[in-house]
Amino acid sequence: RVPFDGTAHQVREKVLNEPLPAVGDFRPDVPPELADVVATATARDPADRFPGMAALADALNDFLRTEQRPNRKPPGWVWWLV
């Protein structure tokens, strides 16, 4: 599913004027911690984003370390992060 729908003009206006929908709106099974990482990575204001790819990678690795428990396979959606 795309974050915005409508005609090309409507999508353009939404991209320019509306916040990006939260990942949880599309995938309620995504943990809030991962949704926070996605929200930071896709923030409209660059000052609100990660300062660089290393910081994003660190945030994703932190999430994966806390999400994975011994003797427990992570949910299927985690594998697209690896």
Side-chain angles (χ1 to χ4, degrees):
R1 181 175 159 208
V2 295
F4 300 113
D5 57 2
T7 66
H9 177 72
Q10 290 169 329
V11 170
R12 178 184 169 279
E13 289 302 310
K14 290 176 182 179
V15 167
L16 293 174
N17 299 308
E18 294 181 15
L20 188 65
V23 70
D25 294 347
F26 297 94
R27 292 289 306 264
D29 58 323
V30 171
E33 298 84 5
L34 179 57
D36 291 344
V37 172
V38 172
T40 301
T42 59
R44 184 174 299 273
D45 184 347
D48 295 334
R49 297 179 200 152
F50 291 103
M53 291 306 296
L56 172 59
D58 289 344
L60 288 171
N61 282 325
D62 290 345
F63 166 74
L64 288 173
R65 272 193 293 278
T66 59
E67 183 65 17
Q68 294 179 3
R69 306 284 189 263
N71 301 319
R72 179 175 161 250
K73 183 179 176 184
W77 55 262
V78 169
W79 296 111
W80 68 266
L81 293 173
V82 181

